[in-house]
Amino acid sequence: MAGGPTGEPVPVQETVNTEKLRAILLMGGVPWNELEDGVQQVRLKLLEERSKPGQPLIRNPEAWAAVVASRIAVDWHRGRARDMGLRERLSLLWSVRPPVEHPEEEVLLAQVVAEGLERLPAQQRQALVLRYYTDLTVRDIARLLDVPEGTVKSRLHHAVAALRTELLDVEGI
């Protein structure tokens, strides 16, 4: 935390140069529509760093924020590559199955589920699709996403609860 002239903490907005962070994120390949999210992630990490007890002050918050912004850009690319790989595997999986005619009720249910999936947060949707559409185990999903198994279980629990609520709200299902 950088101190002001009187030694009190300086607000995060004044500690980091937002335009510089946007430029770093943009040069790192983060799309325009996600720049503000990246800036907020940098600010959040700065606040987290400042709130750690016994943590020494960040000597140069602007340089620290620039490094964090570049790491966020790298993480964005990793996530994008992971999503693209997943999309390719899913499209291969679905391309080998022949199309099947379904009764109207099943089509309606599929549409409601698809709309519910679209409304889920990306991480919950990803876990749900990997578990129930590709039949991966929780352990496999955790390894694939590089997260603990408990995180996968939590995401699945919240996603299923949200979809259940949505399905119960729809009449006739």
Side-chain angles (χ1 to χ4, degrees):
M1 141 170 49
T6 58
E8 71 276 350
V10 176
V12 173
Q13 296 88 322
E14 295 175 20
T15 305
V16 294
N17 180 338
T18 305
E19 293 305 316
K20 184 177 181 181
L21 291 179
R22 283 188 191 111
I24 291 168
L25 291 166
L26 196 58
M27 288 188 301
V30 176
W32 279 99
N33 62 336
E34 295 187 32
L35 288 179
E36 288 308 311
D37 289 340
V39 170
Q40 290 303 322
Q41 286 180 24
V42 172
R43 288 180 176 161
L44 179 62
K45 289 187 184 298
L46 180 59
L47 288 171
E48 288 171 351
E49 193 69 21
R50 286 180 172 180
S51 68
K52 291 179 183 174
Q55 186 74 10
L57 297 177
I58 298 171
R59 287 184 298 208
N60 188 342
E62 202 162 318
W64 185 92
V67 169
V68 171
S70 67
R71 288 181 182 157
I72 287 171
V74 168
D75 289 346
W76 181 86
H77 283 288
R78 284 184 188 144
R80 185 170 166 233
R82 186 173 44 238
D83 287 348
M84 291 304 291
L86 175 61
R87 284 189 185 118
E88 288 174 15
R89 288 192 300 277
L90 285 174
S91 66
L92 282 174
L93 233 166
W94 290 105
S95 67
V96 295
R97 295 183 182 172
V100 178
E101 291 295 320
H102 297 285
E104 188 175 325
E105 187 175 297
E106 287 182 18
V107 171
L108 175 63
L109 178 62
Q111 288 173 341
V112 170
V113 170
E115 290 169 3
L117 281 172
E118 287 178 9
R119 283 192 274 284
L120 287 175
Q123 292 177 332
Q124 289 179 9
R125 180 175 51 248
Q126 185 180 43
L128 195 82
V129 167
L130 289 172
R131 179 70 183 108
Y132 297 107
Y133 284 81
T134 63
D135 292 325
L136 293 177
T137 64
V138 169
R139 175 173 286 148
D140 290 340
I141 296 169
R143 192 177 62 244
L144 180 69
L145 300 179
D146 195 27
V147 297
E149 287 182 38
T151 301
V152 173
K153 290 176 184 178
S154 174
R155 290 176 184 174
L156 286 170
H157 171 77
H158 291 290
V160 168
L163 278 179
R164 181 180 297 121
T165 301
E166 193 153 325
L167 287 174
L168 291 174
D169 289 344
V170 175
E171 289 185 48
I173 295 180

